[in-house]
Amino acid sequence: MRARHVAVIGTGYVGLTTGACLASLGHTVVCADTDRAKIQRLREGRVGILEPGLADLVADGTAAGRLTWATGTGAVFAPAARPVELVFLCVPTPMGAGGLADLGILEAVVDEIRLLVPAGCVVVTKSTVPVGTAERLTQLLDRPDVAVVSNPEFLREGTAVQDFLHPDRIVVGSDRREAAEQVAGLYARLGAPTVLTDSASAELVKYAANCFLAMKLSYVNAVAELCDRVGADIVDVTEGMGHDRRIGQEFLSPGPGWGGSCLPKDTSALLQLADSADFEFRLVRAAIDTNIRQHKRMVDKIRVAVTGRQAGSLSKVRLALLGLTFKAGTDDLRDSPALAVAALLRQAGAEVIAFDPAVPPAGEQAARLPFAVAGDAYQAADGADAVVVLTEWPEFRHLDWARLAGTLRTRAVVDTRNLLDPAVLVRAGLTWTGLGRPVRSALPEEEAPEAVSSPAPVGAHP
Ligand code: UGA
C-alpha cells in the first residue's frame, strides 16, 4: 500500500476518526477545522469526543509526526506544504428545510478550496450527501484536473474507531475510475470487501443502508408491541429470528425509538429524494411513523405501570429517568428518543428528573435541558414514584436496586431497553415492565428466594 498525503476538512467525529485512523494506517494526514480553539485543543492532545480508542490514535499519530493540525483550509494547501493528494470533506450536512440535507457548509468549503487544490488531487465526500452531490461538486469545483469521489462512512458513534479499522465493506464511487481506485487503495491494509461504483450509487448506498436499519428497528419495535398483546417474549422471538443468517442477530433490540444524528436525518432525506423522483417510498414513511408512535407508546406503558390506568394525566407523578443520550457509549443528545419521551411525559403533567453518566448536572448539556439532571441514579430516584430506563448504559444493571426500591413510591421500574435483569428487580421488591415481555411483579417475600435461586430453563433469559 502506498502511503499518501491526505487532508481532512472538518474535525467532528467522522473527520477526526477518519484522520486519526488513516494516520494509523501509515498515511500522512493534516486535519483542518475553522474552530481555532478546537484545533488548539487537538494540538494539545485533547480530543473532546467520547469515542473509545480515538484519543490514543490521535496521540500516536501526533507523536509519529503523521498527524498534524491546521486552522482553516488555507494552511493545508500553503505553497510550502507537501502537496495534498486526497482531500476528505467531513463537514456537517444537517437536516435542512423539508427534511433535505443542507449542503451549505459543504458547498462553502468547496468554493474555498476550489483554486487551492493542486492538479491531480482527489476530492472525497465522506459526509452523508444526497444523490447527485458528487456531480454538483464537480460542477462547482470546475477543475477538470481534480476528480470528485464519494466514499460514504458507516461509522457508529461510540464504536467509530473499531468500525473504521474493521469495516464490513468499503464503498467508493466516482465517474473517474482511477480516482476511485486511489481512494480504495488508502484502505488496502484493512482487507475489507470493496464496492467500486459510480458516484450516485455510492451516495445511495449510505441512505439505503441507514434507512434499512431504521426499518429493521421499527419492525422489531412493532413486533415487541405484538408480543405485549399476544403474550409472547420478544427476547426469544428475536433470537429465533436472528439465527437466520439472512436476518442476523444485530439491530434486533426493541427500544424507546431510534434516534441520533443519522437515522432520523437520513430517513427524512431519503423520503425527500424519493419524492423528488416522483416515488412514494411508503416503507420508509411507515418506519418513521412507527418510530414517532413508539415514543407515545412508552408514555402509555409508564402510565399503566405507575397509575394502573390506560389514559389520563400524569400530574403529581414524579419520574426518575435513567439515560438521556440516544444510545449508550456516547454523550450525544441529538434526536435522542429519551428526550422525546421526556417531553411527552412532561406534556402529560409528570415531573421528571434525570440521570445520565455522560450528562453531568453542572455541564452545558444539562443547562440546556428543561428539567433537572441529578448527579447519580439514587439522587434522581429520591422521592420519585417510579424509575424509567431510557438508555442502555450497562452500569444501570448494577445499581443497588434494593436501595432504590426503598425510595420509590410505587416500586415500579419501566425498562424501555429490556436492559435490566427482572429477577434482580423482583428480588429487590420492584415490579419490572419491559418491552414485548411479561411484566414481572415483586413476589411475596417468603417465595422470593426460592423463585430466584431455581435454575433457569435452558434457553431462557433473565
Ligand atoms: C448509524 C449507523 O448505524 C451507522 O452505520 C452510520 O454510519 C451512522 O448512523 C451514520 O450515518 O453516520 P449511529 O447514529 O451512531 O450509527 O447509531 P446506531 O448505533 O445505528 O443507533 C441508532 C439508534 O438505534 C439509537 O437510538 C439506538 O439506541 C437504536 N437501536 C440500535 C435500537 O433501539 N436497537 C438496536 O438493536 C440498535
Side-chain angles (χ1 to χ4, degrees):
M1 184 197 74
R2 200 177 129 204
R4 299 287 194 164
H5 189 47
V6 178
V8 176
I9 314 242
T11 58
Y13 99 96
V14 173
L16 199 54
T17 307
T18 302
C21 289
L22 286 176
S24 81
L25 294 177
H27 305 291
T28 307
V29 183
V30 52
C31 289
D33 203 293
T34 46
D35 185 338
R36 183 177 298 275
K38 190 174 185 187
I39 289 295
Q40 187 50 38
R41 286 196 297 274
L42 287 166
R43 281 204 175 99
E44 291 161 10
R46 289 188 284 145
V47 165
I49 299 177
L50 192 63
E51 199 59 69
L54 188 56
D56 288 344
L57 282 190
V58 166
D60 293 350
T62 310
R66 280 199 301 274
L67 194 54
T68 53
W69 312 99
T71 304
T73 44
V76 171
F77 302 103
R82 196 180 133 191
V84 171
E85 296 168 278
L86 300 112
V87 185
F88 279 80
L89 305 180
C90 300
V91 294
T93 51
M95 202 195 300
L100 216 57
D102 178 351
L103 297 184
I105 305 172
L106 189 70
E107 292 184 355
V109 169
V110 167
D111 191 46
E112 207 175 300
I113 65 172
R114 199 171 85 74
L115 299 174
L116 300 175
V117 281
C121 188
V122 178
V123 171
V124 189
T125 57
K126 201 76 181 150
S127 317
T128 306
V129 289
V131 177
T133 301
E135 203 183 313
R136 173 156 172 71
L137 297 188
T138 306
Q139 283 163 9
L140 274 180
L141 266 174
D142 195 19
R143 288 275 308 266
D145 56 340
V146 172
V148 176
V149 172
S150 162
N151 172 215
E153 54 83 18
F154 302 101
L155 313 177
R156 285 164 302 173
E157 282 187 41
T159 53
V161 169
Q162 173 75 12
D163 290 344
F164 191 103
L165 296 176
H166 305 280
D168 289 339
R169 78 305 209 179
I170 305 280
V171 175
V172 187
S174 179
D175 305 327
R176 308 262 287 268
R177 189 74 174 190
E178 205 185 305
E181 278 165 3
Q182 260 190 64
V183 174
L186 290 172
Y187 305 100
R189 264 179 61 187
L190 300 177
T194 300
V195 179
L196 279 185
T197 180
D198 59 274
S199 54
S201 303
E203 287 162 345
L204 189 54
V205 168
K206 176 62 193 249
Y207 285 106
N210 270 3
C211 291
F212 188 82
L213 293 172
M215 290 195 313
K216 191 173 182 186
L217 291 174
S218 276
Y219 181 77
V220 89
N221 284 337
V223 174
E225 179 166 358
L226 194 56
C227 287
D228 276 335
R229 287 168 188 254
V230 301
D233 189 329
I234 189 70
V235 173
D236 295 336
V237 172
T238 49
E239 192 188 342
M241 286 164 61
H243 282 300
D244 184 329
R245 277 180 305 230
R246 295 169 302 174
I247 296 173
Q249 295 284 358
E250 284 186 58
F251 257 68
L252 283 183
S253 305
W258 38 268
S261 64
C262 305
L263 301 193
K265 163 172 85 69
D266 293 351
T267 41
S268 295
L270 193 71
L271 274 192
Q272 286 293 321
L273 173 75
D275 232 31
S276 65
D278 205 15
F279 170 55
E280 202 184 343
F281 209 145
R282 290 194 187 174
L283 280 172
V284 174
R285 161 64 59 206
I288 296 172
D289 291 346
T290 303
N291 200 44
I292 294 168
R293 190 165 167 277
Q294 188 71 357
H295 303 148
K296 297 189 187 117
R297 201 165 89 77
M298 296 305 99
V299 175
D300 292 343
K301 260 191 181 284
I302 295 162
R303 183 184 289 106
V304 169
V306 180
T307 68
R309 294 191 310 266
Q310 305 280 347
S313 152
L314 288 174
S315 67
K316 302 206 183 71
V317 169
R318 183 180 160 127
L319 299 167
L321 308 184
L322 299 190
L324 290 172
T325 53
F326 80 96
K327 64 176 182 179
T330 171
D331 56 2
D332 201 336
L333 295 179
R334 284 176 291 175
D335 256 314
S336 172
L339 295 187
V341 173
L344 290 176
L345 288 169
R346 293 179 73 239
Q347 255 175 39
E351 182 195 346
V352 304
I353 171 157
F355 165 67
D356 188 294
V359 184
E364 277 174 33
Q365 302 219 85
R368 284 197 292 269
L369 293 171
F371 49 81
V373 174
D376 63 38
Y378 306 103
Q379 234 179 54
D382 192 18
D385 290 284
V387 163
V388 180
V389 174
L390 289 168
T391 310
E392 75 285 19
W393 288 101
E395 49 263 60
F396 293 159
R397 282 199 190 104
H398 311 294
L399 288 167
D400 182 345
W401 286 101
R403 179 176 162 195
L404 285 165
T407 66
L408 291 182
R409 289 204 290 244
T410 68
R411 306 207 146 206
V413 175
V414 180
D415 179 3
T416 71
R417 297 280 187 169
N418 286 349
L419 171 78
L420 309 171
D421 180 343
V424 169
L425 269 75
V426 166
R427 209 172 351 178
L430 293 160
T431 295
W432 177 88
T433 303
L435 259 56
R437 306 195 74 189
V439 173
R440 311 279 176 93
S441 297
L443 296 169
E445 247 163 40
E446 59 279 13
E447 287 176 34
E450 202 190 336
V452 168
S453 60
S454 57
V458 176
H461 298 273

